[in-house]
Amino acid sequence: MPLIDIQVIEGVFTPDQKKEMIEKVTDTMVGIEGEALRGVTWVRVVEVGSGSWGIGGKALEAADLKAMQGASG
């Protein structure tokens, strides 16, 4: 039974986006392991506080990622 953790910065993704992550990651795992294991494939979306996550020595805030989302759309 797989347990998949997706870690994101709190306040960046909507509940609908998190639901979509769970569904798509589950579908991907079922594609690998078989449909019989869908019911025991666990996915957790773990939110890390804004400013408690860093890349390249710089702490990231939710606003930083929202700006990135806006720039790509």
Side-chain angles (χ1 to χ4, degrees):
M1 139 177 104
L3 168 61
I4 301 112
D5 282 337
I6 303 169
Q7 297 188 28
V8 298
I9 294 177
E10 186 175 34
V12 175
F13 297 97
T14 67
D16 285 341
Q17 289 172 318
K18 290 183 275 188
K19 180 181 176 196
E20 184 178 356
M21 287 178 209
I22 292 167
E23 291 170 354
K24 288 185 175 183
V25 168
T26 299
D27 288 344
T28 298
M29 288 303 298
V30 167
I32 295 166
E33 65 194 8
E35 187 63 40
L37 292 179
R38 181 178 296 276
V40 294
T41 299
W42 296 42
V43 180
R44 299 185 299 189
V45 178
V46 179
E47 293 187 300
V48 177
S50 184
S52 296
W53 186 313
I55 297 175
K58 180 183 182 291
L60 290 177
E61 302 283 336
D64 298 326
L65 291 180
K66 287 182 178 184
M68 289 174 161
Q69 286 176 326
S72 67

